[in-house]
Amino acid sequence: MKTISILILFLAAGLHAGAQLNIVPKNDELKEYTVQNAQPYDSLTNVDERSFAALPGQTLYMHGARNDSQGYYDTFFTGNFLAGSERQIYKDDGRGNTPAEAVVGKYYEVLKVWTRRDYLTAGCCLLLREKESGDEVYFNPYLQPRSMTCLGYYEKLKRYIGQVFFSLAKRVETEDGQIITPPEGAEYRCVDVGLKMNSDGAFLLMEGKDGVRVEAFSIGGDEVYEFVSAARIASLTERYGEKYGRQVAFRKVDTGMTREMVIAAWGEPYHKSENKMEGKTLESWFFSDDRYVGLLDGKVYDVRIY
């Protein structure tokens, strides 16, 4: 009888756990955006998750991704793959790819955008009309996110021209294709905006005091991946003081910084944990690229980069 009772208890617990799992809602709603209900496009982000719902009515230029000689796999279709349409490849080359020459170097008008997100996956489908031929094609932006540039985004990049920047000591490519790493703090000025075929898309052309010009890339808002602007350094110094403001601007985290400073320097962590001990709060923040920050009552006491 004791064995049977334990078995019944185990089964009941299992049924309860199953019931708990079954009540988790699955949100697989397909959202459609057209010119009529599109979100406002501020042109600060290119074709990515932050701008999908704002793209209807915009014009995209397909400059192509790097190393696309084999074409584009699972990227261009003849039907809406998010709505259950047959996943027929646009101008299939017989191997499941769309040939590069069929799509690269063309302008597309965004007619509609569909997004779908559930508790496991996210998806997006753009209905495009090729301006020259009038062909309509469905585009999966998650597969080749850097193969297209929105003309509105490209035009707005020109706001950087004339601004002064300082190097973050990251690798950059020169006009003649060399890879160099300018020393941290080296001064540059944005002199132009460019776009290359079969590349990562639109870029800023930065000129150093030595006359060498290098490429840099905007990462949204007013930030550039390889550099920090003089304006941002001044703004952060005013907000956080000379010591911490400059460190935050150069994307560094140090002991004594607040939560706000850490986020301003490194962005949001992908994982947080918190423990309370003897009236104190200990937090552990984990970031990409093997970076860790420990906080005690909201102040950084430990920083590790593995």
Side-chain angles (χ1 to χ4, degrees), residues 168-189:
L168 295 174
K170 295 185 180 295
R171 287 158 51 93
V172 291
E173 185 174 343
T174 66
E175 279 188 303
D176 58 3
Q178 296 184 56
I179 303 298
I180 64 173
T181 303
E184 181 177 285
E187 184 176 325
Y188 282 76
R189 183 179 298 274

Side-chain angles (χ1 to χ4, degrees), residues 258-272:
T258 64
R259 294 188 186 93
E260 181 184 345
M261 294 177 191
V262 175
I263 293 171
W266 282 0
E268 289 283 351
Y270 70 81
H271 178 72
K272 294 180 182 181

Side-chain angles (χ1 to χ4, degrees), residues 1-177:
M1 287 295 295
K2 183 176 181 181
T3 302
I4 294 174
S5 298
I6 292 173
L7 180 60
I8 292 172
L9 182 62
F10 175 79
L11 290 173
L15 289 172
H16 177 70
Q20 290 294 98
L21 289 174
N22 289 337
I23 65 171
V24 176
K26 179 180 179 181
N27 178 18
D28 57 359
E29 179 185 0
L30 185 65
K31 295 182 179 179
E32 179 180 296
Y33 300 92
T34 65
V35 174
Q36 285 70 36
N37 69 336
Q39 296 178 6
Y41 183 50
D42 61 12
S43 302
L44 295 177
T45 55
N46 197 18
V47 182
D48 66 25
E49 192 168 355
R50 295 168 293 177
S51 66
F52 288 155
L55 290 177
Q58 301 298 318
T59 297
L60 310 182
Y61 178 68
M62 179 71 179
H63 53 76
R66 295 176 185 262
N67 305 316
D68 64 355
S69 59
Q70 299 300 314
Y72 292 87
Y73 172 73
D74 213 32
T75 304
F76 295 94
F77 303 90
T78 60
N80 186 346
F81 53 88
L82 280 188
S85 299
E86 184 180 351
R87 294 178 71 91
Q88 184 174 346
I89 303 298
Y90 177 69
K91 296 190 177 181
D92 193 340
D93 65 357
R95 299 173 298 168
N97 299 323
T98 299
E101 59 269 21
V103 289
V104 174
K106 300 180 184 295
Y107 292 89
Y108 295 88
E109 178 187 0
V110 183
L111 302 180
K112 292 183 180 181
V113 174
W114 293 271
T115 61
R116 167 173 282 165
R117 180 180 293 277
D118 58 32
Y119 64 100
L120 289 178
T121 61
C124 180
C125 174
L126 276 62
L127 173 58
L128 310 176
R129 179 189 291 136
E130 201 262 293
K131 290 205 167 185
E132 185 177 353
S133 68
D135 283 358
E136 292 189 359
V137 56
Y138 295 80
F139 173 60
N140 180 358
Y142 280 107
L143 266 293
Q144 297 289 348
R146 294 183 176 179
S147 64
M148 288 203 183
T149 291
C150 184
L151 296 193
Y153 171 77
Y154 178 83
E155 287 299 317
K156 201 153 190 177
L157 285 180
K158 294 177 182 177
R159 71 191 185 277
Y160 288 110
I161 295 176
Q163 289 191 39
V164 173
F165 291 82
F166 296 92
S167 170
L168 295 174
K170 295 185 180 295
R171 287 158 51 93
V172 291
E173 185 174 343
T174 66
E175 279 188 303
D176 58 3

Side-chain angles (χ1 to χ4, degrees), residues 240 253 256-269 272 274 276 281-283 285 287 293 295-300:
Y240 300 129
V253 172
M257 285 187 175
T258 64
R259 294 188 186 93
E260 181 184 345
M261 294 177 191
V262 175
I263 293 171
W266 282 0
E268 289 283 351
K272 294 180 182 181
E274 179 181 304
K276 293 187 180 295
T281 301
L282 297 172
E283 297 176 78
W285 288 11
F287 298 82
V293 173
L295 299 104
L296 176 62
D297 289 338
K299 294 285 186 70
V300 175

